[in-house]
Amino acid sequence: MWDISAGAAGNATLEAEWIVPLPQSNKLETFAQSEIHWLNEHQFLVLARDGKGAGDDKPESSYKGVDVIDISSATNIANSVYDGATGAVTPGGQIVANVTPVTYTPFVQMIDKTQLSRFGLHNGKPADKTLIAAKWESLALVPVGDALYPDDYFLFTFADNDFQTKDGVSMGKPYTAGVDVDNQAMVWRVELPTVQRGSVETLIGV
């Protein structure tokens, strides 16, 4: 975490770093994270996923999730011995005993069969127009505005297609990627009681 209140990027000050134990595959390969979204001073949403699905040669995804990380009890390793080139914090693949990682909690499972069917999508074969996209890249919150459920928000996420089209134009020149991959969007209604009421409205200007 950087303090950028001084303005210019060159004046930013490193304040904190934490270890985030992202989900892993059955082969112990760590899934990527493609977005982090602030909730409050100690919690964030994180979008963790593999790169499988529409747009990839492997149609079946094993993990795509919008999860919650909590830094409340995590060790800040910024400017410590573990922040240097030789200060390994996970020697042999295990976090050192004196460092506590963030608390990682699964929240929205994007490839849940029941939930996917509500979007008219599926995971795995056939690789058709209703296959869930491979690369989800964003998160956004919008208040529902329901007086009976003031902690409810619409959670948005979008997937781009990496310009994969048979009829594209780039730099004024036509091209084909050999495949057409649609952009996709998903929206869930979620309850987030730890988000300060009014904070999202202030951030998005409504």
Side-chain angles (χ1 to χ4, degrees), residues 28-44:
L28 299 182
E29 297 172 338
T30 301
F31 294 119
Q33 67 82 20
S34 57
E35 182 68 281
I36 294 178
H37 189 89
W38 182 87
L39 293 178
N40 53 52
E41 290 186 354
H42 59 92
Q43 290 181 319
F44 303 82

Side-chain angles (χ1 to χ4, degrees), residues 31-144:
F31 294 119
Q33 67 82 20
S34 57
E35 182 68 281
I36 294 178
H37 189 89
W38 182 87
L39 293 178
N40 53 52
E41 290 186 354
H42 59 92
Q43 290 181 319
F44 303 82
L45 294 176
V46 58
L47 199 168
R49 60 167 178 80
D50 58 20
K52 300 174 183 177
D56 187 67
D57 57 0
K58 296 180 180 179
E60 187 166 2
S61 171
S62 57
Y63 197 91
K64 298 188 195 300
V66 182
D67 303 325
V68 178
I69 59 175
D70 192 315
I71 63 174
S72 299
S73 301
T75 304
N76 179 5
I77 64 169
N79 304 310
S80 72
V81 63
Y82 303 115
D83 207 16
T86 59
V89 72
T90 55
Q94 299 296 320
I95 300 174
V96 293
N98 61 330
V99 171
T100 301
V102 305
T103 301
Y104 194 100
T105 305
F107 184 43
V108 176
Q109 299 306 303
M110 296 173 60
I111 57 174
D112 178 85
K113 184 177 181 179
T114 301
Q115 296 299 324
L116 271 182
S117 66
R118 296 179 177 180
F119 292 98
L121 298 175
H122 70 275
N123 181 33
K125 295 179 179 180
D128 56 17
K129 287 288 188 179
T130 61
L131 175 62
I132 186 174
K135 297 181 178 179
W136 294 83
E137 307 286 357
S138 60
L139 295 172
L141 290 175
V142 175
V144 171

